[in-house]
Amino acid sequence: MKILVCITNVPDTTAKIAFIDNDTKLNKAGVQYIIGPYDDYALARAVELKEQHGGSITVLNVGEADGEQQIRKALAIGADDAIRVNCEPSDSYFVAAQIAHCAKEGSYDLILMGRESIDFNSGVVHGLVGEMLNIPSFSPVMKLDIDGNTAKFAREIEGGKEYLEASLPLVLGCQEPIAEWKIPNMRGIMTARTKPLNVVEPVAVPEAATLEKYTLPAPKGAVKMIAADDVESLIALLKSEAKVL
Amino acid sequence: MFNDKMVLIFVELDNGQIKKTSLEAVYYGAEVAKMQGSTATVLAIGAANSAALAVAGSFGASKVLHANATNLQTENAMAYASVLAEAVRQENADVVILPKSGLCDAMSARAAAKLQASVVSGVVELPDLSNGFKVKRGIYTGKAFATVSVSGAIKILGVKKSAVTPVESGAVAEVIAFNPATNAGDFVAKIISQEKADGELSLTEADIVVSGGRGMKGPENWQPILDLAHALHAATGCSKPVSDLDWRPHHEHIGQTGIKVAPNLYIACGISGAIQHLAGVNSSKCIVVINKDADAPFFKAADYGIVGDVFDILPRLTKAIEAAK
């Protein structure tokens, strides 16, 4: 079984977000980058599936060279080789077109990625890739097993879960608890250094959306503390001041 | 004036009624249509009676296309995307609006690839049409916004809850049956089973959310949260540790890797307020934090705070709310 895992290189959840260059660029100073947490779940499950069924895992990142640290980490966790499409990931359609292009060349049985990236939160790339490749896509997938040529999986729906079966190939957007995040061990880190990482140039895609500027939300006012024995005051404030009751 | 532009809005149904966030999307779409000098058409998929769908008129839509084929009765993002793309083609729509949700993200993605449309998800306010087509969207899980210029001939927007405040006109929309051909390829997945909590208020739709954390000390202690939620007609949520410990089901987990909510009022009980949790609630209008630890980081992100024992405060709060009704 050939698995393609698409990962994003994103600022850590706890990163302080600030912008530079007239609010057109993220200030990367002091920002820790990580594999997108949802992508990390997808990768972890891919490694488990490979352990059970054999096959290979290719990890794919559409992004600039500074993301290679995350790609090496994915290789250390258990991917066999990697592709980096050398470009700035501008919008969802562009990124999906790059993934679809690479996927066509590799003819994978399973294309896994996170349900969304935590930088732009669109949650549309898996659907775009599925449609571009003309294969089914599902998200958010929280459980996944493979039985021969069939994927048996669970998807979170509003207020519950849906259990599904479908034939491979599939594109799946993943989330917890599909697997536990894996930490690379020393042997993994050593072997990752020599695993192939192919850098390819992007295919041309017409521009769909261009950034004008970034903005930060208005700062929040100070918290109003209410005495524990005075819940009536809280109700009054929620009614008259916040107007939410 | 001749204008061949059109705005199409997809609405989600819940028991035959258009969901609240979808009605907001209708109003959003109708406002865009007004700016463009065009009209707004709604697409509804699944069982509903005409009167329930005609309500879209009060939010600015002139007509509703109703796709109600037997094979569309179960939520199926791929099939729904095909129906949406057909509606876009038939109506010659250049702007397509969907409420932001898991289903709608999946639909807008597949429809965008079919139509070679630009897709922008997480839009938080009406577009600026003064110079091109610019929209503001949430990024970094609510920590920032990006204004983007959308260039495709067809633009698909996923609109977040509370992007607009609808004003109802009382008008009624015409409802028209819509029966496009379906693709066998959209029905390849076999649904084995569904587990769905009945009668639960939807977390993403609810105006008020009451949420519990590890400070509740165990699943057997959830009654005060449920009672308060009941009194407020609120949905219930929880923090990640609580769902990881199986105290509450995973679909209640609010946070960076769980559900993102944007209610008018979010009440956090015994939740310390890790950044991962805040990422799921930072779009809430008003946040109340109840925690016995005065140093809990959540107080910094709150509008109102009470330092004290949740097991003492919650029952009194519930009682006071019942009394104030």
Side-chain angles (χ1 to χ4, degrees):
Chain A
M1 186 167 58
K2 283 183 75 177
I3 307 176
L4 181 68
V5 180
C6 309
I7 63 166
T8 52
N9 174 41
V10 292
D12 178 46
T13 312
T14 59
K16 186 163 169 50
I17 300 298
F19 301 106
I20 50 170
D21 289 2
N22 286 325
D23 292 327
T24 58
K25 276 206 173 75
L26 177 72
N27 184 359
K28 292 187 180 182
V31 172
Q32 172 81 38
Y33 276 72
I34 55 168
I35 297 175
Y38 295 112
D39 312 329
D40 221 353
Y41 287 121
L43 175 65
R45 189 60 192 147
V47 171
E48 291 170 359
L49 289 172
K50 187 190 148 184
E51 280 164 7
Q52 290 168 21
H53 304 280
S56 66
I57 300 170
T58 299
V59 60
L60 170 63
N61 171 246
V62 179
E64 292 166 303
D66 55 7
E68 291 198 359
Q69 205 186 333
Q70 267 55 258
I71 299 176
R72 289 287 172 204
K73 188 185 171 196
L75 290 169
I77 286 170
D80 298 285
D81 55 15
I83 305 167
R84 180 172 68 82
V85 181
N86 183 33
C87 57
E88 193 186 341
S90 53
D91 71 81
S92 312
Y93 202 98
F94 175 85
V95 171
Q98 306 309 324
I99 295 171
H101 180 77
C102 294
K104 258 181 214 155
E105 301 211 321
S107 57
Y108 299 93
D109 301 297
L110 203 51
I111 300 171
L112 303 181
M113 62 186 81
R115 61 175 291 178
E116 66 183 52
S117 69
I118 65 160
D119 50 1
F120 295 111
N121 313 105
S122 292
V124 294
V125 171
H126 31 78
L128 284 164
V129 171
E131 187 66 35
M132 286 169 179
L133 296 172
N134 200 21
I135 59 175
S137 57
F138 298 92
S139 180
V141 173
M142 56 197 301
K143 188 176 183 310
L144 169 65
D145 287 295
I146 302 294
D147 183 0
N149 191 39
T150 303
K152 298 181 174 182
F153 56 102
R155 203 171 69 83
E156 188 157 84
I157 55 173
E158 210 174 86
K161 279 182 233 177
E162 179 178 70
Y163 293 87
L164 297 156
E165 282 184 20
S167 300
L168 303 178
L170 293 173
V171 181
L172 304 177
C174 303
Q175 71 167 31
E176 61 180 11
I178 194 164
E180 297 272 341
W181 287 330
K182 297 197 187 310
I183 298 159
N185 58 29
M186 193 44 77
R187 192 173 156 271
I189 293 167
M190 297 305 284
T191 54
R193 289 182 189 164
T194 54
K195 286 178 179 173
L197 194 173
N198 302 311
V199 179
V200 299
E201 290 307 311
V203 291
V205 179
E207 205 155 32
T210 45
L211 177 83
E212 296 273 325
K213 65 165 185 200
Y214 293 118
T215 40
L216 292 170
K220 199 150 183 116
V223 58
K224 238 180 220 179
M225 297 308 290
I226 292 148
D229 57 4
D230 191 13
V231 292
E232 287 76 14
S233 287
L234 175 66
I235 296 169
L237 286 166
L238 291 175
K239 277 188 177 155
S240 60
E241 191 178 71
K243 298 188 169 52
V244 291
L245 275 189
Chain B
M1 183 183 72
F2 176 77
N3 195 326
D4 61 353
K5 287 180 174 179
M6 227 280 304
V7 178
L8 183 74
I9 306 112
F10 171 74
V11 293
E12 290 187 284
L13 301 176
D14 181 24
N15 283 320
Q17 303 292 321
I18 301 176
K19 286 189 187 179
K20 208 176 123 236
T21 46
S22 290
L23 288 171
E24 286 181 15
V26 173
Y27 186 77
Y28 184 102
E31 289 294 302
V32 176
K34 256 190 229 166
M35 292 180 196
Q36 289 190 330
S38 65
T39 56
T41 295
V42 162
L43 170 68
I45 305 177
N49 65 42
S50 291
L53 297 178
V55 169
S58 188
F59 292 79
S62 47
K63 65 175 177 183
V64 178
L65 302 178
H66 186 204
N68 194 21
T70 324
N71 59 3
L72 297 175
Q73 299 303 321
T74 312
E75 187 183 302
N76 176 336
M78 289 190 286
Y80 283 21
S82 296
V83 174
L84 177 64
E86 269 316 299
V88 170
R89 290 192 190 105
Q90 178 188 298
E91 298 294 315
N92 199 19
D94 70 324
V95 177
V96 183
I97 307 294
L98 298 93
K100 170 105 177 137
S101 76
L103 170 68
C104 289
D105 282 345
M107 284 176 68
S108 54
R110 297 213 56 127
K114 286 175 202 288
L115 299 162
Q116 267 133 45
S118 299
V119 53
V120 180
S121 177
V123 173
V124 295
E125 58 187 45
L126 285 168
D128 173 3
L129 305 189
S130 58
N131 177 21
F133 193 106
K134 289 172 193 166
V135 291
K136 188 175 173 184
R137 57 179 299 235
I139 55 169
Y140 296 112
T141 323
K143 285 199 276 188
F145 301 99
T147 302
V148 293
S149 180
V150 195
S151 42
I154 300 173
K155 302 165 183 75
I156 303 182
L157 308 183
V159 176
K160 277 179 104 167
K161 186 171 185 279
S162 304
V164 287
T165 310
V167 179
E168 290 189 57
S169 69
V172 172
E174 180 193 5
V175 180
I176 303 160
F178 181 60
N179 295 304
T182 50
N183 311 318
D186 292 334
F187 298 92
V188 290
K190 196 161 85 183
I191 299 174
I192 305 300
S193 63
Q194 273 194 349
E195 288 169 8
K196 215 170 169 177
D198 270 339
E200 254 182 37
L201 252 170
S202 149
L203 259 180
T204 47
E205 292 275 312
D207 284 330
I208 304 177
V209 173
V210 181
S211 208
R214 240 182 324 199
M216 298 306 295
K217 294 185 179 138
E220 68 281 6
N221 298 329
W222 232 256
Q223 203 53 46
I225 299 238
L226 302 178
D227 290 343
L228 178 59
H230 183 77
L232 289 167
H233 198 59
T236 54
C238 68
S239 64
K240 180 168 158 62
V242 164
S243 93
D244 283 352
L245 290 163
D246 264 333
W247 291 2
R248 299 296 296 171
H250 185 268
H251 67 256
E252 283 197 4
H253 162 204
I254 294 170
Q256 173 76 72
T257 55
I259 289 172
K260 281 95 186 165
V261 296
N264 289 334
L265 175 58
Y266 185 79
I267 304 178
C269 311
I271 303 179
S272 65
I275 282 184
Q276 287 80 355
H277 185 74
L278 297 185
V281 305
N282 55 18
S283 300
S284 308
K285 258 186 210 152
C286 176
I287 295 176
V288 173
V289 170
I290 304 169
N291 202 302
K292 68 174 192 305
D293 176 8
D295 294 327
F298 214 155
F299 284 116
K300 289 200 177 73
D303 298 282
Y304 303 101
I306 300 182
V307 177
D309 181 4
V310 283
F311 299 108
D312 160 49
I313 293 165
L314 291 185
R316 284 192 289 115
L317 186 57
T318 305
K319 219 169 161 185
I321 282 161
E322 295 283 11
K325 270 183 184 171

